[in-house]
Amino acid sequence: MLGRTNETSDIEGISYQTLSGLSYWAGFVGIWTIVGAILGIIGSIVGMVANPFSVFGVISALIALIMGLKLRSSKKEFDSFVHSKASVNLEIALDSLRHYFRIQGILIILALVFVVITIVAMAAMGSLMVNY
């Protein structure tokens, strides 16, 4: 693991290949996340006719849309940094990735909580069924 120092970092030494690869994949995943989010929004809106709980699908699709836009923003800033070497572009790109990963982490935690709640509820229902 690399040690940290109080010296200024040499952002000029970052590999072009690393940044261009990161930019490409952030853009690729961002586009497909946005496409999936838009399809999810459309599907949820259409589904509201039959099921009013589809509003939760719209909410999750909007979160996915925000995540895709964060990745696209990151790609744009990485590309700007590669061409201009302005450190502000790198900082904005990394900040967009930070937001993306924070949202993804919160979603993972929420999913785990719902899994635990479901398991507990199923176990409780199972024990009630055994008593009958």
Side-chain angles (χ1 to χ4, degrees), residues 43-64:
S44 294
I45 290 172
V46 169
M48 278 189 217
V49 173
N51 182 5
F53 290 108
S54 291
V55 71
F56 296 115
V58 172
I59 293 169
S60 65
L62 286 173
I63 292 170

Side-chain angles (χ1 to χ4, degrees), residues 9-16 19 81-82 84-87 90:
S9 63
D10 184 16
I11 58 176
E12 298 293 324
I14 297 174
S15 161
Y16 168 79
L19 288 178
F81 174 73
V82 165
S84 70
K85 299 292 186 209
S87 63
L90 181 60

Side-chain angles (χ1 to χ4, degrees), residues 36-99:
I38 290 170
L39 292 174
I41 290 169
I42 293 169
S44 294
I45 290 172
V46 169
M48 278 189 217
V49 173
N51 182 5
F53 290 108
S54 291
V55 71
F56 296 115
V58 172
I59 293 169
S60 65
L62 286 173
I63 292 170
L65 181 65
I66 291 168
M67 292 174 66
L69 292 172
K70 287 291 181 190
L71 286 175
R72 292 299 298 169
S73 169
S74 201
K75 182 216 183 338
K76 182 185 77 136
E77 294 298 332
F78 277 128
D79 289 343
S80 294
F81 174 73
V82 165
H83 296 303
S84 70
K85 299 292 186 209
S87 63
V88 69
N89 295 115
L90 181 60
E91 187 174 348
I92 293 169
L94 293 174
D95 197 50
S96 289
L97 284 179
R98 181 178 62 86
H99 285 109

